Coordinates of all heavy atoms in Angstrom, one line a residue:
T335 N -7.3 6.2 22.8 CA -6.3 6.8 22.0 C -6.9 7.9 21.1 O -6.3 9.0 21.0 CB -5.6 5.7 21.1 OG1 -5.2 4.6 22.0 CG2 -4.3 6.3 20.4
H336 N -8.0 7.6 20.5 CA -8.7 8.6 19.7 C -9.1 9.8 20.5 O -9.0 11.0 20.0 CB -9.9 7.9 19.1 CG -10.7 8.7 18.1 ND1 -10.2 9.4 17.0 CD2 -12.1 9.1 18.1 CE1 -11.1 10.1 16.4 NE2 -12.3 9.9 17.0
Q337 N -9.6 9.6 21.7 CA -10.0 10.7 22.6 C -8.8 11.6 22.8 O -8.9 12.8 22.8 CB -10.5 10.1 23.9 CG -11.1 11.2 24.8 CD -11.6 10.5 26.1 OE1 -12.1 9.4 26.1 NE2 -11.5 11.2 27.2
L338 N -7.7 11.0 23.1 CA -6.4 11.8 23.4 C -6.0 12.6 22.2 O -5.6 13.7 22.2 CB -5.3 10.9 23.8 CG -5.5 10.2 25.2 CD1 -4.5 9.1 25.4 CD2 -5.4 11.2 26.3
Q339 N -6.2 11.9 21.0 CA -5.9 12.6 19.7 C -6.8 13.8 19.5 O -6.3 14.9 19.1 CB -6.0 11.6 18.6 CG -5.4 12.2 17.3 CD -3.9 12.4 17.4 OE1 -3.2 11.5 17.9 NE2 -3.4 13.5 16.8
L340 N -8.0 13.7 19.8 CA -8.9 14.8 19.7 C -8.6 16.0 20.6 O -8.7 17.2 20.3 CB -10.4 14.4 19.9 CG -10.9 13.5 18.8 CD1 -12.3 12.9 19.2 CD2 -11.2 14.4 17.5
T341 N -8.1 15.6 21.8 CA -7.6 16.7 22.8 C -6.4 17.4 22.2 O -6.2 18.6 22.3 CB -7.4 16.1 24.2 OG1 -8.5 15.4 24.6 CG2 -7.0 17.1 25.2
I342 N -5.5 16.6 21.6 CA -4.3 17.2 20.9 C -4.8 18.1 19.8 O -4.3 19.2 19.6 CB -3.4 16.1 20.4 CG1 -2.7 15.4 21.6 CG2 -2.3 16.8 19.5 CD1 -1.9 14.2 21.2
A343 N -5.9 17.7 19.1 CA -6.4 18.6 18.0 C -6.9 19.9 18.6 O -6.8 21.0 18.0 CB -7.5 17.9 17.2
D344 N -7.5 19.8 19.8 CA -8.0 21.1 20.4 C -6.8 22.0 20.8 O -6.9 23.2 20.5 CB -8.8 20.7 21.7 CG -10.1 20.1 21.4 OD1 -10.6 20.1 20.3 OD2 -10.7 19.5 22.4
L345 N -5.8 21.4 21.3 CA -4.6 22.1 21.6 C -4.0 22.8 20.4 O -3.6 24.0 20.4 CB -3.5 21.2 22.3 CG -2.1 21.7 22.4 CD1 -2.0 23.0 23.3 CD2 -1.2 20.6 23.1
V346 N -4.0 22.0 19.3 CA -3.4 22.6 18.0 C -4.2 23.8 17.5 O -3.7 24.8 17.2 CB -3.3 21.4 17.0 CG1 -3.0 22.0 15.6 CG2 -2.3 20.4 17.4
A347 N -5.5 23.6 17.6 CA -6.4 24.7 17.1 C -6.2 26.0 18.0 O -6.1 27.1 17.5 CB -7.9 24.3 17.2
E348 N -6.1 25.8 19.3 CA -5.9 26.9 20.2 C -4.5 27.5 20.0 O -4.4 28.8 20.0 CB -6.1 26.5 21.7 CG -7.5 26.3 22.0 CD -7.8 26.3 23.5 OE1 -7.0 26.9 24.3 OE2 -8.7 25.6 23.9
S349 N -3.5 26.7 19.7 CA -2.2 27.3 19.4 C -2.2 28.1 18.2 O -1.6 29.2 18.1 CB -1.2 26.1 19.2 OG -1.1 25.3 20.3
H350 N -3.0 27.7 17.2 CA -3.1 28.5 16.0 C -3.8 29.8 16.3 O -3.4 30.9 15.8 CB -3.9 27.7 14.9 CG -4.2 28.6 13.7 ND1 -5.4 29.3 13.7 CD2 -3.5 28.8 12.6 CE1 -5.4 30.0 12.6 NE2 -4.3 29.7 11.9
D351 N -4.9 29.7 17.1 CA -5.7 30.9 17.3 C -5.1 32.0 18.1 O -5.5 33.1 18.2 CB -7.1 30.5 17.9 CG -7.9 29.7 16.9 OD1 -7.5 29.7 15.7 OD2 -9.0 29.2 17.3
V352 N -4.0 31.6 18.8 CA -3.2 32.6 19.5 C -2.8 33.7 18.6 O -2.9 34.9 18.9 CB -2.0 32.0 20.3 CG1 -1.1 33.1 20.8 CG2 -2.5 31.2 21.4
H353 N -2.2 33.4 17.4 CA -1.8 34.4 16.5 C -2.9 34.9 15.5 O -2.7 35.8 14.7 CB -0.5 34.0 15.8 CG -0.5 32.7 15.2 ND1 -1.1 32.4 14.0 CD2 0.1 31.5 15.6 CE1 -0.9 31.1 13.7 NE2 -0.2 30.6 14.6
H354 N -4.0 34.2 15.6 CA -5.2 34.6 14.8 C -6.4 34.7 15.6 O -7.4 34.0 15.3 CB -5.3 33.7 13.6 CG -4.4 34.1 12.4 ND1 -3.1 33.8 12.5 CD2 -4.6 34.7 11.3 CE1 -2.5 34.2 11.4 NE2 -3.4 34.8 10.6
P355 N -6.4 35.5 16.7 CA -7.6 35.4 17.6 C -8.9 36.0 17.0 O -10.0 35.7 17.4 CB -7.1 36.2 18.8 CG -6.1 37.2 18.2 CD -5.4 36.4 17.1
V356 N -8.7 36.9 16.1 CA -9.9 37.6 15.5 C -10.5 36.8 14.3 O -11.7 36.6 14.2 CB -9.6 39.0 15.0 CG1 -10.8 39.7 14.4 CG2 -9.1 39.9 16.2
G357 N -9.6 36.3 13.5 CA -10.0 35.5 12.3 C -8.9 35.0 11.5 O -7.8 35.6 11.4
I358 N -9.1 33.8 10.9 CA -8.0 33.2 10.1 C -7.9 33.9 8.8 O -6.9 33.7 8.1 CB -8.1 31.7 10.0 CG1 -9.4 31.3 9.2 CG2 -8.0 31.0 11.3 CD1 -9.5 29.9 8.8
G359 N -8.9 34.7 8.4 CA -8.8 35.4 7.1 C -8.0 36.7 7.1 O -7.8 37.3 6.1
S360 N -7.6 37.1 8.3 CA -6.9 38.4 8.4 C -5.4 38.1 8.8 O -5.1 37.1 9.4 CB -7.4 39.3 9.5 OG -8.8 39.3 9.4
Y361 N -4.5 39.0 8.4 CA -3.1 38.9 8.8 C -2.9 39.0 10.3 O -3.6 39.8 10.9 CB -2.3 39.9 8.1 CG -2.2 39.7 6.6 CD1 -2.8 40.6 5.7 CD2 -1.5 38.7 6.0 CE1 -2.8 40.4 4.3 CE2 -1.4 38.5 4.6 CZ -2.1 39.4 3.8 OH -2.0 39.2 2.5
Y362 N -1.8 38.3 10.7 CA -1.4 38.5 12.2 C -1.2 40.0 12.5 O -1.6 40.5 13.5 CB -0.2 37.6 12.4 CG 0.5 38.0 13.7 CD1 -0.1 37.8 14.9 CD2 1.8 38.5 13.7 CE1 0.5 38.2 16.1 CE2 2.4 38.9 14.9 CZ 1.8 38.7 16.1 OH 2.4 39.1 17.3
E363 N -0.5 40.6 11.5 CA -0.2 42.1 11.7 C -1.4 42.9 12.0 O -1.3 44.0 12.6 CB 0.6 42.6 10.5 CG 2.0 42.1 10.4 CD 2.1 40.6 10.1 OE1 1.2 40.0 9.5 OE2 3.2 40.0 10.5
D364 N -2.6 42.5 11.5 CA -3.8 43.2 11.8 C -4.6 42.8 13.0 O -5.7 43.3 13.3 CB -4.7 43.1 10.5 CG -4.1 43.7 9.3 OD1 -3.4 44.7 9.4 OD2 -4.4 43.2 8.2
Q365 N -4.0 41.9 13.8 CA -4.7 41.5 15.0 C -3.6 41.3 16.2 O -3.8 40.4 17.0 CB -5.5 40.2 14.8 CG -4.9 39.2 13.9 CD -5.9 38.1 13.5 OE1 -6.6 37.5 14.3 NE2 -5.9 37.7 12.2
K366 N -2.6 42.1 16.1 CA -1.5 41.9 17.1 C -1.9 42.2 18.5 O -1.5 41.5 19.5 CB -0.3 42.8 16.7 CG 0.5 42.2 15.6 CD 1.7 43.1 15.2 CE 3.0 42.6 15.7 NZ 4.1 43.2 15.1
A367 N -2.7 43.2 18.7 CA -3.1 43.6 20.1 C -4.0 42.5 20.7 O -3.8 42.1 21.8 CB -3.9 44.9 20.0

Side-chain angles (χ1 to χ4, degrees):
T335 311
H336 182 54
Q337 184 180 329
L338 293 167
Q339 191 64 41
L340 287 168
T341 306
I342 293 172
D344 291 344
L345 167 60
V346 170
E348 287 195 29
S349 302
H350 171 273
D351 290 353
V352 168
H353 48 78
H354 278 74
V356 177
I358 60 169
S360 315
Y361 291 109
Y362 165 62
E363 285 68 26
D364 295 330
Q365 41 192 314
K366 283 177 102 165

